[in-house]
Amino acid sequence: MVDAVVVRATGGAEVLELTQVDPPEPGPGDLLVEVAAAGVNYIDTYHRRGIYPKDLPFVPGNEGAGVVRAVGTEVEGVDTGDVVAWADVAGSYAQQVVVPARSAYPVPEGVGAEVAAAAMLQGLTAHYLVTSTYSVKPGDTVLVHAAAGGVGLLLVQAAKARGGRVIGTVSTAEKEELAREAGADEVIRYTEKDFADEVARITDGTGVAAVYDGVGKDTFDRSLSCLAPRGMLALFGASSGAVPPVDPQRLNAAGSVFLTRPTLAHHIATPEEFRWRCDELFAAISADRLRVRIGGRYPLAEARRAHEDLEGRRTTGKLLLLPG
Ligand code: NDP
């Protein structure tokens, strides 16, 4: 038997229960991996609450890194003992997980398993947002909400690396410092000031080329009003709650702007695209051009506390669960 966190009924963080389950069985195209670190992501809280429904019971978690213990009969190019990382693979809050070989990326030498686990899902998200959703160009000014969060810190760095000028929003002084360290040119404490007014002031009324909004309900309306004509609102999450239905006429009124609601799975759907994004992500980490902040490490048994901290807005950077 192996340790795993199980959700038997959806609800608050208290439904995360450490238990023992049968070891998972890899199929012919799969790897069986001993989890060194599992990433905690906001989407795990949506699954736990039932906002994105899943069949019950389930083991939460979509990301991690660890050592390959068994290789399916049809898998080529991966051996037992290799260290791999994955994103968008269910059941990662566990000692062992089955990872389809096409979703496993070999962790480069010199990058530890914890950093790899911390970088995958949020790093690939930051990558697709700045390359594919709105491709940041030198001279663009973009707005990044929750800039000291897991995605936020990586997104700030990724937009800066492409020559953008970045305005970040955060709730506290500590988070402001982290967003500035990541390269944000301007940081707004959106819990104290109206961020749309501040963006208008900073951009001399021009507005921004893109808003990357993972906060959702509390920021959406004013995010729209921050855009320059023909700007892009990339609504990629809902940490404050879901955005109500939107009348398309509002996009006209805001200046012929674009609204998109992208998700990672559609940006790593082919092995080629997955590999391209991972190659660029890990090359940046290896060259120290992208810094991954691990803001909290929790034993697997304390998944509940990790979720409470994340939803309580008390965290920065990435949270990891360590099966130990
Ligand atoms: P974060 O580390 O960013 O944590 C959430 C942050 O959101 C908080 O720290 C807080 O920052 C901010 N926030 C604002 N209002 C609230 C609120 N009412 N309750 C809680 N937090 C709030 O999480 P992640 O990096 O894991 O995810 C960020 C967002 O990106 C999530 O919405 C997630 O679903 C989304 N996401 C989407 C993906 C996609 O492909 N579409 C992939 C990965 C993530 P502050 O205190 O500074 O306000």
Side-chain angles (χ1 to χ4, degrees):
M1 302 290 275
V2 295
D3 287 346
V5 173
V6 175
V7 171
R8 298 182 202 282
T10 55
E14 70 282 354
V15 304
L16 297 168
E17 184 193 322
L18 185 72
T19 187
Q20 292 250 299
V21 297
D22 289 327
E25 290 273 337
D30 297 330
L31 310 172
L32 177 68
V33 183
E34 186 92 25
V35 179
V40 177
N41 290 287
Y42 223 91
I43 194 170
D44 305 342
T45 71
Y46 309 145
H47 289 146
R48 193 203 71 222
R49 287 180 182 279
I51 295 168
Y52 296 166
K54 283 174 84 85
D55 291 341
L56 295 166
F58 68 90
V59 176
N62 289 285
E63 167 188 52
V67 181
V68 176
R69 293 294 181 216
V71 177
T73 50
E74 290 172 9
V75 177
E76 290 173 3
V78 185
D79 290 318
T80 55
D82 288 356
V83 179
V84 295
W86 60 91
D88 209 27
V89 174
S92 301
Y93 286 11
Q95 254 177 340
Q96 292 189 349
V97 64
V98 166
V99 178
R102 66 173 299 280
S103 299
Y105 186 80
V107 175
E109 200 116 325
V111 178
E114 288 194 6
V115 168
M120 279 298 276
L121 198 146
Q122 294 170 341
L124 293 173
T125 299
H127 186 275
Y128 87 71
L129 286 171
V130 302
T131 56
S132 305
T133 303
Y134 176 79
S135 177
V136 178
K137 299 180 296 302
D140 282 341
T141 302
V142 301
L143 177 62
V144 174
H145 285 310
V151 176
L153 284 174
L154 299 168
L155 195 45
V156 169
Q157 295 176 74
K160 287 300 296 176
R162 294 175 66 87
R165 176 187 183 215
V166 176
I167 306 172
T169 60
V170 297
S171 66
T172 66
E174 185 211 352
K175 291 185 178 188
E176 174 170 347
E177 200 175 318
L178 289 171
R180 287 192 192 280
E181 276 172 18
D185 300 279
E186 305 278 351
V187 180
I188 303 166
R189 298 223 209 131
Y190 56 176
T191 38
E192 294 167 21
K193 288 186 173 168
D194 184 308
F195 71 82
D197 289 348
E198 287 298 295
V199 167
R201 183 184 62 76
I202 291 164
T203 62
D204 294 325
T206 309
V208 295
V211 180
Y212 296 106
D213 189 343
V215 172
K217 183 164 72 69
D218 289 354
T219 45
F220 181 81
D221 288 339
R222 279 167 299 147
S223 290
L224 259 188
S225 72
C226 288
L227 290 169
R230 295 158 60 184
M232 170 70 76
L233 174 46
L235 177 68
F236 67 95
S239 58
S240 69
V243 175
V246 179
D247 176 357
Q249 181 58 24
R250 290 183 61 192
L251 308 181
N252 173 352
S256 301
V257 300
F258 297 83
L259 169 63
T260 183
R261 177 60 180 89
T263 202
L264 176 62
H266 300 139
H267 295 81
I268 52 172
T270 64
E272 293 73 25
E273 195 167 11
F274 175 67
R275 185 157 281 271
W276 164 58
R277 294 193 193 280
C278 288
D279 285 349
E280 293 212 340
L281 174 65
F282 281 96
I285 293 170
S286 296
D288 211 20
R289 284 183 278 112
L290 185 71
R291 278 170 295 146
V292 180
R293 176 182 169 82
I294 299 172
R297 293 175 175 83
Y298 303 74
L300 191 58
E302 292 186 29
R304 171 182 178 165
R305 188 162 61 84
H307 276 219
E308 286 171 345
D309 288 348
L310 185 62
E311 293 178 289
R313 230 166 152 167
R314 292 188 286 275
T315 64
T316 58
K318 183 76 195 182
L319 306 186
L320 294 177
L321 296 179
L322 307 176

